Amino acid sequence: MKKTDAVIIGFGKGGKTLAGALAAAGRNVIMVEKSDKMYGGTCINVACIPTKSLVHSAALAHVYDDGQLEARRTRYSEAIEEKNRLTAMLRAKNYHKLADHPNITVLTGTAAFEDDHHVSVETDNGQEIIEADQIFINTGARPFVPPIPGLKESRFSYLSETLLDLDMLPEHLVIIGGGYIGMEFASMYTNFGSQVTVIQDGPVFLPREDEEIAGAVLQSLKDRGVNVLLQAKTSQVKDTERHAILTVETPEGVQEINADAILIATGRRPNIEGLHPEKAGIQLTERGAIAADEHLQTNVPHIWAMGDVVGGLQFTYISLDDFRIVKSAILGDGSRTTQNRGAVPYSVFLDPPFSRAGLTEKEARDKGYHVKIAKLAAAAIPKAQVLQKPVGLLKAVIDADTNEILGAHLFCEESYEMINTIKVAMDAHLPYTYLRDTIYTHPTMSEAFNDLFASV
Ligand SMILES: Cc1cc2nc3c(=O)[nH]c(=O)nc-3n(C[C@H](O)[C@H](O)[C@H](O)COP(=O)(O)OP(=O)(O)OC[C@H]3O[C@@H](n4cnc5c(N)ncnc54)[C@H](O)[C@@H]3O)c2cc1C
C-alpha cells in the first residue's frame, strides 16, 4: 500500500494544476490517470486544442482549396497529422511537468474508491492501493450515446474524440445533436469540403441563446451549405457496404439519409463510471454529478471535486477556476468560491465564431431589468471588411437604471478575443459608456465596441 498526502483522480485541468500547487507547498501527491493517451486530460488530447487546430486548418482549406476536392482531401489528412503532432507534444509536456517533480508520482491506471481514505488503482502491473489524507476527483465527463437502434453498432458512427482520428475526409457527415460541439464540427467539416447535415430533435436552434443571434448563426450555417434539420428524430441506423442509412422523422415526413460518417454529439455527462464514490459515502446530484458545495468540497470533508464531474459548465477554464477555489480552500483563506467567479464568457468556434457573456435580452427582461439594447451588423466593422468576413451580428443588453452591461452576444470574427473585454467590463461594473467612448487600436474588431455601444 502507498501512503500519500493527496491523491488526484484524473489528469484534467483542475487536477494537474492543483498537483503542481500542492507539490510546491511540500505535499506528496499521486496523480492517477487511466490512460497514457490522456496525460494532460481531455482538453489537450481530444477536445479544445485538437478541434481548434482543425478549425484553423479547415478555414485555410476553405480559402485556398475551394472547389478542389483532391487538394481538400490532402489538406484534411495533413491537418489530422498536424493535430496529432501537436497533441503528442502537449501530452509529453504535461506528463513531464508532473512526473519530473520530486513530490509527484504519476500512476497510470483506473482508480476506484475502496472507502473514504483508500483508492484502488488497476494498472498494467496489477492493483495498487493508495491511502491518502485528501482526495480530489477530476474525472471529467463522458459522451452520452442515445439508444437509437443500430447507432452504436454502426461502423460509420463516431464520438467527437474518435472522429478526430479519421484521416479520410468524409463525403457526407451527419451530426446527431445541434449543440455547441455539433455546431463546431459542422462548421469545420463544411470548411474542409464535406457535405454536412445536422439532426436536431428540438424545434428551436440554439434554444438557450438570444433569438436574433441564434437566427443569424443558423442563417450563416445554411448560407455555407450546412443542412440543419429541426424537430428531426433519428429512429434507426443501418449499415451498407459503403455507408450508413439513417431513418429520420421530420415534420415533412420520413427521410432516409446516407452518411459515410455519423458524429454522435448528444451531450456529455459527469464521468463517475467505475469510480464507486458511494464506497466513500460521497453524495451525488440528481443528474449523477459529484455533489459539491461552493468551495467544491463534497459531503466528505477531505474529498473535493473539480471540472466537468461536478456537473456545471463544461469548459477547461471552469476546471481551472475550480482549481483556484480548491487551492483557496486548502492552502489559502477559502475566500474564492463558485459564487464569485464573475461573468463566465464562452465561445463556439464557428466561422465566424459566436461568443457570449451574461444574460440574453429575454432573460434580462424576465428578471425584471429595464433594458437598453445595442446592436451592430458585423458588416459595419472596418476590420471585418479587411478580413473579408463581414458576416454576423453583435448585440449587448444594458441595465437602463445603472448603465452596466448585463450581457453581450457577439457573432463575428475574433469574437473569442473580444468577449474577454466584455467579461472584464462586467466584473468591474463599468458603465457601457466607458466601452463606447474609450480608445481602441485600429483597425481591430474590438473597436466595434465604439459603434456597438453608440447604437444604444
Ligand atoms: C469536442 C470538444 C471540444 C471542446 N472544446 C472546448 C473549448 O474550445 N474550450 C473549452 O474551454 N472547453 C472545451 N471543451 C470542454 C473541455 O474539454 C472540458 O470541459 C474539460 O476538458 C474538462 O476538464 P476536466 O478538468 O473536468 O477533466 P478532463 O480533462 O476531462 O480529465 C479527466 C481525466 O480523468 C481521467 N479519468 C476518468 N476516470 C478515471 C478513473 N476512474 N481513474 C483514473 N483516471 C480517470 C480521464 O482519462 C481524463 O484524462 C470541449 C469538449 C469537447 C468534447
Side-chain angles (χ1 to χ4, degrees):
M1 184 164 70
K2 286 191 161 105
K3 285 193 177 188
T4 184
D5 297 325
V7 64
I8 300 175
I9 306 174
F11 208 137
K13 184 72 182 176
K16 67 189 175 192
T17 320
L18 183 69
L22 292 175
R27 313 259 177 108
N28 286 314
V29 180
I30 297 180
M31 163 63 79
V32 187
E33 169 51 54
K34 72 175 174 193
S35 165
D36 62 1
K37 302 277 182 306
M38 290 295 285
Y39 299 136
T42 301
C43 170
I44 64 151
N45 290 295
V46 291
C48 330
I49 298 295
T51 53
K52 269 80 247 182
S53 164
L54 292 176
V55 162
H56 174 68
S57 301
L60 296 179
H62 179 63
V63 172
Y64 295 113
D65 310 331
D66 199 18
Q68 304 169 55
L69 189 59
E70 269 321 303
R72 283 184 174 210
R73 283 188 178 143
T74 307
R75 190 181 289 272
Y76 177 74
S77 305
E78 287 171 0
I80 296 286
E81 259 175 51
E82 166 57 20
K83 180 267 303 178
N84 290 341
R85 187 203 59 75
L86 177 64
T87 52
M89 184 269 286
L90 291 174
R91 189 161 50 246
K93 205 170 145 210
N94 272 262
Y95 174 79
H96 286 292
K97 195 166 175 192
L98 296 197
D100 295 352
H101 195 292
N103 292 355
I104 303 177
T105 304
V106 176
L107 190 56
T108 308
T110 303
F113 282 99
E114 292 297 318
D115 60 37
D116 68 333
H117 275 292
H118 294 90
V119 168
S120 64
V121 183
E122 294 299 333
T123 73
D124 283 349
N125 304 319
Q127 192 185 64
E128 298 224 26
I129 301 287
I130 304 170
E131 183 178 287
D133 293 338
Q134 293 178 324
I135 303 176
F136 303 91
I137 306 169
N138 186 214
T139 48
R142 65 197 161 92
F144 167 71
V145 178
I148 296 170
L151 177 64
K152 208 169 141 192
E153 298 75 21
S154 171
R155 294 194 326 277
F156 302 96
S157 285
Y158 297 89
L159 299 169
S160 60
E161 54 246 55
T162 52
L163 187 60
L164 292 175
D165 285 334
L166 179 71
D167 57 7
M168 278 277 293
L169 182 65
E171 267 175 47
H172 187 191
L173 172 67
V174 171
I175 300 175
I176 302 181
Y180 304 115
I181 291 177
M183 286 311 114
E184 274 189 10
F185 276 83
S187 174
M188 178 210 306
Y189 275 90
T190 296
N191 271 354
F192 273 125
S194 298
Q195 189 193 337
V196 177
T197 299
V198 178
I199 299 174
Q200 186 196 303
D201 56 2
V204 181
F205 181 72
L206 297 181
R208 285 194 218 122
E209 299 306 333
D210 181 274
E211 217 179 299
E212 274 176 283
I213 297 282
V217 173
L218 179 59
Q219 192 54 52
S220 148
L221 285 168
K222 284 183 174 173
D223 291 347
R224 294 171 56 210
V226 178
N227 180 22
V228 181
L229 301 176
L230 298 177
Q231 272 183 290
K233 253 195 159 59
T234 310
S235 55
Q236 70 167 13
V237 177
K238 271 192 177 163
D239 279 6
T240 67
E241 184 95 351
R242 296 195 48 222
H243 53 246
I245 305 172
L246 294 94
T247 307
V248 182
E249 293 161 20
T250 69
E252 289 77 41
V254 177
Q255 298 183 24
E256 289 205 328
I257 302 175
N258 294 349
D260 55 345
I262 304 170
L263 171 64
I264 305 167
T266 41
R268 291 170 67 82
R269 306 270 160 91
N271 183 16
I272 53 162
E273 203 178 27
L275 187 65
H276 294 300
E278 73 285 353
K279 289 193 182 172
I282 300 167
Q283 282 168 7
L284 302 182
T285 67
E286 272 175 13
R287 308 197 64 196
I290 300 286
D293 66 11
E294 72 268 29
H295 302 281
L296 296 170
Q297 194 170 25
T298 70
N299 60 304
V300 183
H302 57 276
I303 302 180
W304 283 264
M306 292 171 286
D308 287 0
V309 77
V310 185
L313 291 168
Q314 294 183 356
F315 295 113
T316 296
Y317 47 87
I318 293 296
S319 185
L320 177 64
D321 202 51
D322 287 355
F323 146 74
R324 295 186 190 107
I325 292 165
V326 172
K327 182 183 171 204
S328 167
I330 290 170
L331 300 174
D333 61 2
S335 59
R336 191 83 196 232
T337 73
T338 54
Q339 302 306 306
N340 53 29
R341 290 193 208 273
V344 177
Y346 60 82
S347 293
V348 188
F349 291 75
L350 308 175
D351 186 9
F354 158 67
S355 304
R356 169 182 177 179
L359 303 177
T360 64
E361 180 178 350
K362 181 169 184 315
E363 287 167 347
R365 291 193 194 280
D366 288 350
K367 281 179 183 281
Y369 286 105
H370 300 116
V371 301
K372 297 195 277 198
I373 299 297
K375 258 192 248 178
L376 184 73
I381 307 168
K383 181 67 187 284
Q385 298 288 351
V386 168
L387 295 171
Q388 298 177 31
K389 286 281 175 62
V391 174
L393 179 67
L394 295 78
K395 180 170 175 177
V397 183
I398 292 152
D399 184 339
D401 297 326
T402 63
N403 277 348
E404 283 191 28
I405 300 165
L406 296 171
H409 311 267
L410 312 177
F411 175 46
C412 62
E413 268 307 293
E414 297 178 12
S415 67
Y416 42 71
E417 299 291 350
M418 299 163 75
I419 201 69
N420 294 316
T421 301
I422 297 278
K423 186 243 183 323
V424 172
M426 288 174 72
D427 287 355
H429 302 284
L430 294 178
Y432 79 92
T433 47
Y434 181 84
L435 294 188
R436 182 190 67 190
D437 299 333
T438 197
I439 294 173
Y440 302 94
T441 50
H442 169 80
T444 55
M445 291 301 291
S446 298
E447 68 177 334
F449 292 141
N450 286 149
D451 289 341
L452 171 66
F453 289 109
S455 75
V456 173

